[in-house]
Amino acid sequence: PATGGLQVTGRIDREALPLRLHPNISLIVRVEDSPSGGHTSEMQITIIINDINDNSPDCSRYSFRREVNENTPAGILLDLRNYCEDIDVDPSNNQFNFTGLSGFGSNNFALESTVSGRLMMTESIDLENSANPGVEVYSLTVRVQDNAYPHYSSKYPFYISFDIFLCYIIYIYIRIKPVNEFFPVFSNISYEFNIPEITKVGSSIGRVNARDKDWPPSVITYSIVAGGSTRDYTSIFWISPTKGDVKILARLDYETTQKHFLTVQASDQEKTATVSVTVNVLEVNDEEPVCSPNFYSFQIPVSLAVGTNINGFRIQCQDRDSDPRSFRYFINEGNVNNHFTFSPSAGSNISRLILASRFDYESGLDTNWIYRLRIYVTDDNLLSARDRATHLIKTGTVTLSIRVIPNPTTVITTTPGFTVVTEKENLYSASAWYVPFIITVSSLLLLGLLGYLGLLLATWLRTHCPPALRADSTARKDVFTMYIFCSVEKTKPKKEVVVTMTKLNTVFDGEARDPVTGKMYEFNTRSGARRWKKSNELLQPVPVKQGTASASDYSGQGMDRAEAPSKKEPSEKRREKTTETQLAAKPSAGQSEQPGQAEI
């Protein structure tokens, strides 16, 4: 106040309101020449606030994450200027730019210009390209710096201070998403597996393999889409979905199918590829010779000549996987003293039974009268002795029962024996408790059903018989008799009956006074009918009318019913006489009749 020096007492913020809109400050200064009230003078001072670069660029985000598909064409990925600003008012102070793009893989990216702040991808990124290291995530950094000279240090902790500039670091993470571009490719154009027909079920017979060129490598799954079926099985092969191992699910048979053709598909969930697989079934001697007949029984005389084809017997054999010349025949059991042999013994599928030596029972050399021969038929005739030790040989069997019939003079030596008799007896088992229960319940249900059917029959007879039969049912208790009677009654002819009916008008033959109204009324002594009496009206009887009616008789007692109405009871006769007497006394004119009538 004494010197008139004008000072700033607080920091002035040009960017704050109202200075941001009106940067001028107006003051009025008063000068006084005496503190006690002398002369004064006032002057206006206008202060213009100039802007300085006291604010650094500020970004709303300092970390960005973007995803881009591989092989995306070059173009703009991110506009950084939309997220950063400098609040200084003077355009010369709020200018900033973006520089210093760096980081791993930054050669694939660039800034369009330092002013625009647009991050661009310079070329398409192919993860399968050998020039690329196969990196899926790129980490980049961009520096945001102020162009004007800073007068104050920034209040934000994350900045880099140079001699004349303030700058910030923006971190950008770009992930390259792999794209499924390639189809799976099998390692072979086709596959062929050779497998013996006796291979065990569940064994692996081979493996297929497929890959695609995508990076990272796609997960390949395998499946059989065609082939591999037989008459008995829809599919006899299985493939591992992840490894491609092919296994058999059923026994292979060379004699049925020599080759199986499969179509195997490889898929990476989006793209598929197929390959043909051929399975060659290798023949193995796994079939036994089958001979016909395989059992036979016959009798021969003891004097049969040597070299005779016994009873013309021969066996015929076949093998599905062997040549007919591969059969050998030999008797393994029961050929005591070698009396029997087969001719030919090998090299044919047909052989005959021959008596090789005569029987000698007189000297005691032969004691058996019954020979049970067990013949083995093998399929190794075409193999050498060395190959027979290593190759698989199958054997068929035939059983023969031969009884030798002695001459009439031959004494048969008998040996004691025993007979086994097996007896079976049905015993009740405690575990079969339900058997009598089921029988009892079934019997009760059957009896109930029969009773119900009898009730239905009786109801039907009662419904279809006439009333006369039911009235006389005490004399016919037998159901069968009742049924016959119903049939006879229905066949009788109908008869016509004349019934006489009498209709009389209501006759008011009495009169009395009503105790309530005091009026006179007339009444009928039989029916109780009433009417008010007129002063000039007399009692008038109504003449009797007769009529006839016809009815049909439905039973043998129809005539009795027709005659019953014609016989009047004594009381009816008295009523008719009274009516006739009143008719005789009735005046001939000036009388009125009441319309009320009653039928008798």
Side-chain angles (χ1 to χ4, degrees):
T3 62
L6 186 62
Q7 297 180 352
V8 177
T9 60
R11 185 173 182 273
I12 301 174
D13 189 1
R14 174 67 175 80
E15 288 75 31
L17 294 176
L19 294 179
R20 187 174 185 83
L21 300 178
H22 305 285
N24 298 334
I25 300 176
S26 297
L27 305 176
I28 296 177
V29 178
R30 179 181 297 172
V31 181
E32 298 178 352
D33 57 2
S34 174
S36 60
H39 298 282
T40 63
S41 177
E42 293 182 353
M43 64 178 299
Q44 183 176 359
I45 301 175
T46 301
I47 302 173
I48 301 176
I49 308 300
N50 294 325
D51 183 43
I52 63 172
N53 185 22
D54 61 340
N55 293 284
S56 61
D58 188 16
C59 298
S60 61
R61 294 178 58 182
Y62 289 91
S63 177
F64 296 88
R65 296 180 183 274
R66 292 291 185 269
E67 288 188 350
V68 180
N69 292 332
E70 68 168 320
N71 297 328
T72 299
I76 297 175
L77 298 180
L78 181 64
D79 191 350
L80 298 176
R81 184 164 286 276
N82 294 334
Y83 302 92
C84 300
E85 64 175 351
D86 190 334
I87 63 174
D88 289 322
V89 177
D90 194 340
S92 62
N93 296 325
N94 60 17
Q95 297 298 319
F96 59 91
N97 53 25
F98 301 88
T99 59
L101 176 62
S102 62
F104 184 77
S106 59
N107 57 326
N108 295 316
F109 304 92
L111 292 172
E112 182 183 42
S113 67
T114 59
V115 177
S116 66
R118 293 178 180 177
L119 181 65
M120 300 178 59
M121 189 165 61
T122 58
E123 60 181 0
S124 177
I125 298 177
D126 187 5
L127 295 178
E128 293 78 29
N129 190 348
S130 58
N132 293 320
V135 178
E136 298 182 28
V137 178
Y138 292 88
S139 178
L140 308 177
T141 59
V142 176
R143 185 168 60 247
V144 184
Q145 68 180 21
D146 204 338
N147 292 337
Y149 182 83
H151 294 276
Y152 299 96
S153 299
S154 174
K155 61 182 177 180
Y156 298 102
F158 36 82
Y159 68 94
I160 300 175
S161 179
F162 298 93
D163 292 338
I164 57 174
F165 297 110
L166 291 176
C167 67
Y168 288 88
I169 302 298
I170 296 178
Y171 296 92
I172 304 172
Y173 303 94
I174 299 177
R175 179 177 180 269
I176 306 300
K177 295 175 59 178
V179 176
N180 191 359
E181 304 174 81
F182 300 95
F183 285 85
V185 178
F186 285 92
S187 58
N188 295 338
I189 299 177
S190 63
Y191 293 86
E192 185 172 1
F193 304 132
N194 298 322
I195 182 72
E197 61 176 329
I198 60 174
T199 303
K200 294 182 179 180
V201 175
S203 301
S204 176
I205 63 175
R207 172 181 290 185
V208 298
N209 183 41
R211 297 184 62 184
D212 64 6
K213 297 180 180 180
D214 289 314
W215 182 266
S218 302
V219 177
I220 305 296
T221 57
Y222 304 92
S223 61
I224 298 175
V225 295
S229 61
T230 63
R231 181 180 60 184
D232 300 326
Y233 300 94
T234 56
S235 179
I236 60 175
F237 297 97
W238 175 83
I239 189 170
S240 172
T242 56
K243 298 180 179 180
D245 290 332
V246 181
K247 297 183 179 182
I248 57 174
L249 302 178
R251 184 176 180 271
L252 302 177
D253 188 8
Y254 174 84
E255 288 71 31
T256 302
T257 306
Q258 291 78 34
K259 289 181 179 290
H260 296 274
F261 300 97
L262 311 178
T263 301
V264 176
Q265 175 180 277
S267 172
D268 60 2
Q269 314 306 322
E270 293 183 9
K271 294 179 172 58
T272 60
T274 57
V275 69
S276 62
V277 177
T278 302
V279 180
N280 297 319
V281 181
L282 303 181
E283 183 180 11
V284 177
N285 186 19
D286 62 337
E287 299 285 346
E288 297 178 354
V290 178
C291 300
S292 177
N294 61 353
F295 177 82
Y296 198 75
S297 178
F298 48 84
Q299 299 176 353
I300 61 174
V302 69
S303 59
L304 188 66
V306 175
T308 304
N309 181 197
I310 299 175
N311 286 14
F313 177 80
R314 70 175 186 175
I315 57 175
Q316 183 174 359
C317 303
Q318 60 180 1
D319 192 334
R320 296 176 60 191
D321 56 7
S322 299
D323 190 275
R325 298 174 299 168
S326 64
F327 295 135
R328 288 193 309 119
Y329 307 89
F330 60 93
I331 301 174
N332 187 60
E333 297 177 6
N335 192 12
V336 180
N337 295 330
N338 296 323
H339 288 299
F340 306 98
T341 186
F342 277 90
S343 179
S345 61
S348 175
N349 66 328
I350 299 177
S351 184
R352 293 170 176 81
L353 181 63
I354 304 298
L355 183 64
S357 62
R358 62 182 298 275
F359 299 102
D360 187 3
Y361 292 97
E362 288 80 2
S363 64
L365 180 63
D366 293 320
T367 58
N368 292 336
W369 295 90
I370 298 177
Y371 293 85
R372 292 181 173 86
L373 307 180
R374 188 172 182 85
I375 298 94
Y376 284 177
V377 182
T378 61
D379 54 6
D380 58 349
N381 183 53
L382 300 179
L383 299 177
S384 63
R386 179 181 300 178
D387 293 338
R388 290 177 185 175
T390 58
H391 282 66
L392 183 63
I393 299 173
K394 291 294 183 177
T395 303
T397 59
V398 176
T399 303
L400 300 180
S401 178
I402 303 174
R403 178 184 292 273
V404 180
I405 305 301
N407 293 328
T409 59
T410 304
V411 178
I412 303 176
T413 304
T414 60
T415 57
F418 62 93
T419 303
V420 178
V421 180
T422 302
E423 294 183 358
K424 294 183 179 180
E425 183 179 357
N426 293 327
L427 298 177
Y428 174 74
S429 176
S431 61
W433 59 268
Y434 55 86
V435 175
F437 174 75
I438 294 176
I439 295 175
T440 303
V441 173
S442 302
S443 301
L444 293 176
L445 292 176
L446 180 59
L447 291 176
L449 178 62
L450 293 176
Y452 178 69
L453 293 177
L455 179 62
L456 293 178
L457 179 60
T459 304
W460 184 86
L461 292 176
R462 289 177 59 86
T463 304
H464 291 76
C465 287
L469 177 59
R470 292 199 297 268
D472 197 20
S473 61
T474 57
R476 304 176 180 87
K477 296 182 179 180
D478 191 355
V479 177
F480 182 71
T481 306
M482 184 183 300
Y483 175 75
I484 295 177
F485 182 78
C486 291
S487 302
V488 173
E489 289 294 327
K490 290 183 178 180
T491 58
K492 289 185 177 182
K494 297 182 180 180
K495 297 181 180 181
E496 184 174 347
V497 181
V498 178
V499 181
T500 304
M501 301 181 65
T502 304
K503 295 183 180 180
L504 297 176
N505 291 332
T506 303
V507 178
F508 298 91
D509 54 352
E511 63 181 22
R513 184 181 300 278
D514 184 31
V516 179
T517 60
K519 294 183 180 180
M520 295 297 296
Y521 65 92
E522 298 175 343
F523 62 91
N524 186 287
T525 56
R526 293 176 57 194
S527 63
R530 299 180 182 183
R531 73 174 182 178
W532 294 110
K533 181 180 178 182
K534 298 180 181 180
S535 58
N536 57 349
E537 184 177 337
L538 298 178
L539 295 176
Q540 295 286 340
V542 180
V544 178
K545 297 182 181 180
Q546 295 184 350
T548 62
S550 63
S552 298
D553 184 14
Y554 295 92
S555 67
Q557 301 175 354
M559 292 300 298
D560 298 337
R561 295 190 190 127
E563 294 172 1
S566 64
K567 297 178 182 181
K568 299 183 178 179
E569 300 294 334
S571 60
E572 272 189 354
K573 292 180 180 180
R574 287 195 296 271
R575 295 192 194 100
E576 290 178 0
K577 290 180 180 180
T578 305
T579 304
E580 293 175 357
T581 305
Q582 292 177 355
L583 288 173
K586 179 182 177 181
S588 60
Q591 304 293 334
S592 62
E593 297 180 357
Q594 293 298 323
Q597 297 180 353
E599 294 183 357
I600 305 301

